[in-house]
Amino acid sequence: MIVITNPSFIEDEIEILHSLFEEGLSLLHIRKPDFSELEMAHFIHPIKMEFRSKLVLHSHHDLAKDFGINRIHFSEKERKNQRHLFSKFSDSVKDKSEFISTSTHSIDDFNSLENDFDYAFLSPVFKSISKENYHPKTDLFEALKSRTNYKTKIIALGGINSENIQKTLENGFHNIALLGAVWNNTNPVKEFKLCQQIALLHLQ
């Protein structure tokens, strides 16, 4: 199960994150697009060392080594327009000392990925919970039938919640990423646990 941080400030966020990890959260994508490098460092610092290997940085990638983080995420824009950023990490990825993920927004974009990526988000699968007026332009379940990239794992993002997790996993996605379902809920940890239980039942 993957959770992406809310892009803006959340009260008691670090405490909530620790609770999510303790409940079995496997990966946390830290996406804070408006954070400066110093703000990002201050955000990461209180996260317990035992959870650092589960963190994925979306920005200020140079902080990764300082905090013992070996997972880097590239946005679609970075991947396409700033190839030199990705190239810095490609050699280490080959021996699995670091892991790289990225974002895609169409099956054609996903199919065109190079094999260096461990997994990629494909979004939006459903109408977004966290973004207003952000909804799928095509049926991504149908689009998955034309998938040709079988090395990169494909992760569903966008509008994922407890009501559609099972359908999503039954239609070809390897895993799901939660954002709005968790952070727009009055009890983020409880909602995460519910989603996790549904996903685990599918795997049994």
Side-chain angles (χ1 to χ4, degrees):
M1 185 75 73
I2 297 172
V3 168
I4 303 173
T5 60
N6 193 294
S8 57
F9 172 79
I10 296 290
E11 189 174 357
D12 299 323
E13 187 167 7
I14 299 301
E15 288 80 2
I16 294 171
L17 295 180
H18 282 157
S19 295
L20 292 175
F21 283 126
E22 289 163 2
E23 291 294 340
L25 174 61
S26 57
L27 290 177
L28 175 74
H29 277 245
I30 301 178
R31 181 180 176 273
K32 298 285 187 180
D34 295 328
F35 272 22
S36 66
E37 185 170 300
L38 182 60
E39 288 171 326
M40 182 64 75
H42 285 166
F43 180 83
I44 298 170
H45 182 72
I47 297 176
K48 294 178 181 178
M49 289 295 297
E50 62 193 276
F51 301 133
R52 297 283 177 86
S53 64
K54 299 181 178 183
L55 302 181
V56 186
L57 275 185
H58 277 231
S59 59
H60 305 298
H61 296 154
D62 290 338
L63 290 174
K65 289 184 178 180
D66 295 337
F67 287 97
I69 297 170
N70 66 344
R71 297 177 181 274
I72 301 296
H73 185 89
F74 289 89
S75 67
E76 183 178 49
K77 182 178 180 180
E78 287 173 327
R79 188 183 74 249
K80 292 182 174 180
N81 299 335
Q82 302 180 45
R83 176 68 190 177
H84 64 284
L85 290 175
F86 167 65
S87 297
K88 291 196 302 180
F89 299 94
S90 59
D91 290 338
S92 59
V93 165
K94 292 174 184 176
D95 62 15
K96 287 302 176 185
S97 62
E98 286 179 328
F99 299 85
I100 295 182
S101 57
T102 190
S103 298
T104 62
H105 297 89
S106 71
I107 195 63
D108 290 338
D109 193 23
F110 177 83
N111 285 335
S112 69
L113 291 177
E114 297 182 28
N115 289 331
D116 299 298
F117 294 98
D118 295 277
Y119 60 90
F121 294 140
L122 179 60
S123 67
V125 179
F126 302 101
K127 182 179 179 181
S128 175
I129 301 169
S130 59
K131 294 181 180 179
E132 193 173 343
N133 298 320
Y134 186 55
H135 49 79
K137 297 179 180 178
T138 59
D139 183 342
L140 291 183
F141 294 141
E142 186 66 27
L144 277 182
K145 295 178 182 179
S146 61
R147 177 186 173 200
T148 58
N149 180 340
Y150 290 100
K151 185 170 182 179
T152 306
K153 291 184 178 180
I154 189 164
I155 312 300
L157 174 64
I160 308 296
N161 59 31
S162 58
E163 295 180 359
N164 56 38
I165 287 174
Q166 184 172 342
K167 177 182 178 181
T168 303
L169 294 175
E170 287 175 346
N171 279 274
F173 284 94
H174 291 106
N175 203 344
I176 58 167
L178 303 174
L179 202 167
V182 170
W183 302 113
N184 286 24
N185 196 283
T186 55
N187 192 328
V189 178
K190 182 179 180 181
E191 182 63 19
F192 167 78
K193 289 173 66 177
L194 175 60
C195 292
Q196 181 187 53
Q197 289 168 2
I198 295 169
L200 288 174
L201 283 173
H202 173 78
L203 295 174
Q204 291 179 356

